[in-house]
Amino acid sequence: MLAQHQRASRFIRLAAAVSAVAGIVALGGCSSGGGEVDSKYGFPTVEQVPDSEITVWVDATRQPAVEAFEKANPDIEVNMVVDDGSASGSGTFQTKIGLADQAGEGWPDVVFSTQNNDASWASKPTNGVQAFAAPINKGFFDQSFLDGFTPGALDPVTVDDTVWGLRNDLAPVLFWYNKPLLEQFGYEVPTTWEQYQELGDKLAAEHPGYTLGSVGDSFTGPFVYYWSGSAPIFQVDGDSFSSDVHAADSEKVTALIDHMVANKTLTQDSVFGADFVADSSKLVAIPGPAWYAGALFQNPNSINATSGQWIAAPPLSWEGSDEVTGNVGGGVWYASSHSKNLEAVKTFLEFVTTQDGVAGTGGLPAYQSAADTWLNDQAASGFFGPDFATSVGTAAESVWSGWGYPSFSAETAYAKVIVPALAAGKKISDVADEWQKEMENEATVQGYSVD
Amino acid sequence: MSALRSSAVAGSHRVRQPRAARAAAGAGAQARIGLLFTSVYTLFLIAFGVLPTLYAVFLAFTRDGAFAGVDNFLRVFSDYRFLPAVMHVAAYVVVWLISLLVFVVLLALVVQAIRIRWVSTSVRFLYYVPGALAGAASVMLWLFVLDPSVSPVAWLLHALGSDSLVQTVQLDTLPIVLAVIAFWTGAGGWIVIMYGALNNISADILEAARIDGAGAWSTAWFIQIPLLRKWISYMAILSLAAGTQLFVEPRVLSQATHGVVPQDYSLNQLSFLYAFKQADFNGSAAISLLLLAVALLLSVYFVFRGGLFERE
């Protein structure tokens, strides 16, 4: 009995010690950052260490921009970490910051994200740790620098008059078409969604196998078709979220996609997949963002178009409705509020967003002067037709403002419900209610009230 | 110390208790070496097993540092993603565990029955090789196999009615796809272990069975498989623990399919979303504890059912 008692008390002592250590670990995880607001920057900063290395998280596409900065600024040491840029709602950015918040250390100084909705969480303190993103219009950047961005470019990263990030590029949806093919078939370039669908019917009847776009990626449905079609499936008003798949415009987009998937003029191949590239000679036209320019057409690993083959036309809209369009990403640069070298961060961000040839990284730069240079260069090369600058300019000014930026991505619910349904031969109209429910459920768990 | 003392005593009375003293001294040395061997493991177990578990218990029953009772568990239970995730994991574990148990034992019996030595060695090596690939890497490899546009077995996928990766990884077929991936990665090691266990069965018993007229199947069914019972239980327990923690396979498939395989497919993924999408570490810990409880209960069942701690 005595031995047993001794064993038991030893066990209790050990358990108490282990619990104490666990408690200390737990309390350590709750340490908060920040303190006094630094009037120079407009948020609580850590002690600054001039000349310290800055850590930059970017995706592979942005890697050359960072390398260009390193070359131009050899006195600033950069630790570049390449990740997936949080593409397709993977949440890499949020995940890694969540870990750093919990650990109380390990934050990067600059992050590039392909998701415009990251500002909605990166601007909020979590678990007692100050918001990761640094507010950049409270003293960090001069207003004159911020005014240099294309009007509306910083809207997605602005919460209650505070700007939390810098847009890298703009991604308005245009209508791209294959000029030689369209001329060979004797078709007119459509200017409305109705004409686009009619063209689909003609093409399916007269030239089966040829296509007018893809719904194979989870971004194309929501951002290219529903957003451009001014469908209110993803709307935010303060802390409330709403989705209406039965609104008139939502049903029109659903009917359009269902119709063109059925007549096989919309393919279900991913635009980044091997099958899409293999069949790209049969692609007659495709509505898509400005960054298709570099990602698809001027990419040797994708469509690899020749000059004058693919033309950028103004975006499609509904007959008799406002001429609006959608938007597919357009990445954002975030400065860390935990950085101990904010001056280097500022220099870096100014360089990558404004420098000609670097800003926009192949797409339409969000900074107006860089955008002008890019558009002029593209127009001068004549690669995408003589009206390229006008088409892109029209698209950039007409992104539909009814779309919302909650803290979750429109892609996940679409990927979960619609993409598998289409692959299984169902119509979007069959699962539209399920899709709306999924979006509303997502909004609820993220803390939004659902209207 | 007591071992040393008894050794000294034994030295002075060598004639009276030589064997017992020597045995005591040997046991003492053995105990010290045993402690040395297990100490590093124990330290790591405390640092990376016990402490994180206690931290998870602390998180699961608190909210903002204050005691929250079972609130975190109730929140998780009422989440619309919870029940589907439970069903997904259950379906996967059932498919995988049954196929693992059946095929590993079957393949081990087949390998053991091969009498040509180099063939047997080569087959065992081949079985073992896929296990050398780490989890995420093997899923990457399977992505190519499952995508009809690049797969070396595209004809088979087409024959099964799949023309794209999205069609291959539809929700209803996913438990089978995941089980195939996990089997391919993990079964080789178990086959080698089962092969070793089969070799341990006394030749006399097999000889007796043969004399009694048992064929290969009867010997396997009535002699070999019952004698493998403990090993099968052991495999079931470890595989069950791994199976309920399903994460890497659906996570990589989810990224590769741009979310068609949902990010909340398994319970561990849901726990991950709680922690890193919702910054809710308390809810995340609650799910982890539930998983631990279920795995422990099922393991206890297998331990007693398989007689793992029985001595012959």
Side-chain angles (χ1 to χ4, degrees):
Chain A
M1 277 298 286
L2 186 67
Q4 256 180 2
H5 177 73
Q6 276 176 343
R7 267 204 299 275
S9 65
R10 209 181 302 151
F11 176 76
I12 290 167
R13 277 205 302 276
L14 178 70
V18 168
S19 309
V21 176
I24 292 164
V25 171
L27 288 172
C30 295
S31 67
S32 60
E36 292 278 305
V37 172
D38 188 323
S39 57
K40 189 177 171 192
Y41 298 114
F43 59 92
T45 60
V46 294
E47 194 183 333
Q48 296 297 294
V49 182
D51 302 329
S52 60
E53 180 186 73
I54 58 167
T55 298
V56 180
W57 292 353
V58 289
D59 61 353
T61 314
R62 255 46 63 169
Q63 195 172 341
V66 181
E67 285 162 355
F69 173 80
E70 286 177 301
K71 209 171 161 190
N73 295 273
D75 51 324
I76 296 178
E77 206 176 326
V78 177
N79 169 28
M80 178 169 61
V81 179
V82 178
D83 62 17
D84 66 351
S86 304
S88 301
S90 72
T92 308
F93 179 21
Q94 196 173 355
T95 304
K96 293 204 285 188
I97 296 303
L99 277 175
D101 281 349
Q102 198 70 358
E105 61 179 6
W107 295 284
D109 299 277
V110 174
V111 177
F112 174 84
S113 170
T114 55
Q115 305 293 302
N116 284 323
N117 55 19
D118 278 335
S120 63
W121 66 266
S123 60
K124 287 182 187 143
T126 40
N127 296 325
V129 182
Q130 77 176 35
F132 168 76
I136 55 177
N137 64 337
K138 305 292 179 192
F140 188 62
F141 280 117
D142 294 337
Q143 193 56 43
S144 58
F145 166 72
L146 296 173
D147 289 343
F149 280 83
T150 304
L154 299 179
D155 287 357
V157 284
T158 303
V159 183
D160 296 335
D161 296 329
T162 303
V163 184
W164 297 93
L166 296 175
R167 285 289 284 286
N168 175 71
D169 55 316
L170 302 180
V173 172
L174 304 163
F175 184 68
W176 302 89
Y177 66 90
N178 186 327
K179 192 167 181 248
L181 263 186
L182 216 56
E183 282 175 355
Q184 182 193 329
F185 294 158
Y187 297 146
E188 293 286 315
V189 180
T191 57
T192 65
W193 288 113
E194 285 85 353
Q195 291 172 6
Y196 173 67
Q197 184 172 323
E198 282 167 26
L199 180 65
D201 286 335
K202 273 198 258 181
L203 201 64
E206 295 164 14
H207 304 283
Y210 285 82
T211 54
L212 285 174
S214 157
V215 283
D217 292 290
S218 50
F219 71 82
T220 47
F223 299 135
V224 173
Y225 288 96
Y226 282 93
W227 193 337
S228 301
S230 55
I233 58 155
F234 214 64
Q235 294 187 304
V236 174
D237 181 13
D239 284 335
S240 60
F241 173 84
S242 68
S243 172
D244 187 0
V245 296
H246 295 299
D249 282 344
S250 306
E251 292 201 332
K252 274 157 81 177
V253 179
T254 301
L256 174 92
I257 297 178
D258 282 343
H259 184 89
M260 293 180 68
V261 166
N263 72 16
K264 293 190 168 55
T265 49
L266 278 183
T267 162
Q268 292 183 51
D269 297 330
S270 160
V271 294
F272 304 117
D275 282 342
F276 179 83
V277 177
D279 291 337
S280 61
S281 61
K282 292 198 165 180
L283 185 68
V284 179
I286 183 167
W291 53 259
Y292 273 6
L296 298 188
F297 305 117
Q298 281 186 301
N299 179 356
N301 296 317
S302 186
I303 291 176
N304 198 21
T306 53
S307 179
Q309 186 187 6
W310 278 90
I311 307 295
L316 305 174
S317 55
W318 298 114
E319 267 169 20
S321 295
D322 291 343
E323 292 184 357
V324 296
T325 193
N327 177 73
V328 188
V332 180
W333 295 96
Y334 291 93
S336 166
S337 67
H338 306 285
S339 174
K340 55 183 187 203
N341 192 355
L342 287 163
E343 286 305 315
V345 167
K346 208 155 86 169
T347 311
F348 176 85
L349 289 177
E350 281 174 349
F351 180 89
V352 291
T353 51
T354 63
Q355 193 70 28
D356 290 343
V358 173
T361 44
L364 171 66
Y367 202 73
Q368 189 69 60
S369 62
D372 292 342
T373 309
W374 186 78
L375 283 170
N376 288 337
D377 289 349
Q378 294 288 344
S381 75
F383 195 92
F384 294 113
D387 299 327
F388 180 74
T390 318
S391 301
V392 175
T394 307
E397 287 166 10
S398 53
V399 173
W400 184 51
S401 58
W403 197 263
Y405 291 101
S407 60
F408 60 99
S409 172
E411 290 170 59
T412 48
Y414 187 88
K416 188 174 178 179
V417 179
I418 305 291
V419 176
L422 287 175
K426 291 183 195 159
K427 289 182 164 189
I428 295 183
S429 54
D430 298 337
V431 290
D433 289 320
E434 197 185 323
W435 179 33
Q436 180 174 323
K437 188 75 199 155
E438 179 68 25
M439 285 186 277
E440 290 172 349
N441 281 336
E442 264 191 283
T444 307
V445 295
Q446 296 290 335
Y448 289 92
S449 64
V450 174
D451 289 344
Chain B
M1 278 304 287
S2 63
L4 280 177
R5 210 175 295 132
S6 63
S7 169
V9 172
S12 59
H13 304 282
R14 197 173 288 270
V15 185
R16 280 165 58 191
Q17 288 182 324
R19 198 173 293 167
R22 271 207 302 277
Q30 251 185 355
R32 275 194 299 280
I33 291 187
L35 268 179
L36 190 73
F37 271 114
T38 53
S39 59
V40 179
Y41 173 80
T42 311
L43 278 178
F44 276 93
L45 180 72
I46 290 173
F48 301 110
V50 177
L51 282 180
T53 307
L54 289 173
Y55 184 38
V57 174
F58 168 78
L59 283 178
F61 290 99
T62 55
R63 184 93 182 150
D64 298 327
F67 183 67
V70 291
D71 277 5
N72 293 318
F73 292 89
L74 293 178
R75 193 172 65 258
V76 167
F77 286 142
S78 61
D79 191 309
Y80 79 107
R81 299 166 294 185
F82 183 74
L83 200 59
V86 170
M87 300 310 288
H88 292 154
V89 172
Y92 162 73
V93 167
V94 167
V95 172
W96 179 51
L97 220 49
I98 291 175
S99 58
L100 188 77
L101 297 184
V102 170
F103 286 110
V104 162
V105 173
L106 194 68
L107 287 171
L109 286 168
V110 169
V111 173
Q112 215 241 352
I114 297 172
R115 289 281 157 242
I116 307 160
R117 199 170 164 180
W118 69 268
V119 178
S120 169
T121 316
S122 310
V123 170
R124 267 178 288 148
F125 178 70
L126 277 178
Y127 283 153
Y128 193 71
V129 164
L133 276 177
S138 68
V139 186
M140 291 302 287
L141 188 140
W142 272 90
L143 280 177
F144 289 98
V145 178
L146 296 172
D147 186 346
S149 62
V150 288
S151 175
V153 289
W155 56 271
L156 183 64
L157 295 170
H158 288 304
L160 292 169
S162 168
D163 293 323
S164 65
L165 180 61
V166 173
Q167 284 177 331
T168 317
V169 296
Q170 292 270 317
L171 268 191
D172 47 351
T173 54
L174 207 49
I176 297 166
V177 170
L178 294 174
V180 168
I181 296 175
F183 183 86
W184 184 80
T185 327
W190 286 116
I191 293 171
V192 174
I193 289 171
M194 289 295 157
Y195 174 83
L198 280 172
N199 280 347
N200 254 352
I201 296 173
S202 159
D204 295 344
I205 297 175
L206 298 176
E207 178 73 20
R210 205 163 33 246
I211 291 168
D212 284 348
W217 281 114
S218 316
T219 311
W221 189 251
F222 293 109
I223 310 288
Q224 290 171 305
I225 293 178
L227 286 172
L228 283 183
R229 193 168 69 125
K230 280 186 182 178
W231 291 101
I232 295 173
S233 292
Y234 178 58
M235 176 167 70
I237 290 168
L238 290 194
S239 306
L240 184 81
T244 50
Q245 291 171 33
L246 181 68
F247 182 80
V248 173
E249 289 87 350
R251 173 85 184 160
V252 177
L253 281 175
S254 175
Q255 301 241 10
T257 57
H258 301 294
V260 169
V261 174
Q263 294 185 355
D264 48 25
Y265 182 79
S266 74
L267 281 171
N268 247 357
Q269 282 181 290
L270 186 59
S271 167
F272 182 85
L273 290 183
Y274 260 85
F276 301 118
K277 279 264 182 182
Q278 293 158 233
D280 181 354
F281 286 87
N282 307 94
S284 178
I287 299 177
S288 305
L289 275 195
L290 284 171
L291 270 176
L292 179 70
V294 171
L296 271 179
L297 280 175
L298 288 170
S299 296
V300 167
Y301 172 79
F302 276 109
V303 164
F304 286 105
R305 185 93 188 133
L308 211 60
F309 293 149
E310 283 169 19
R311 288 192 150 189
E312 273 131 27

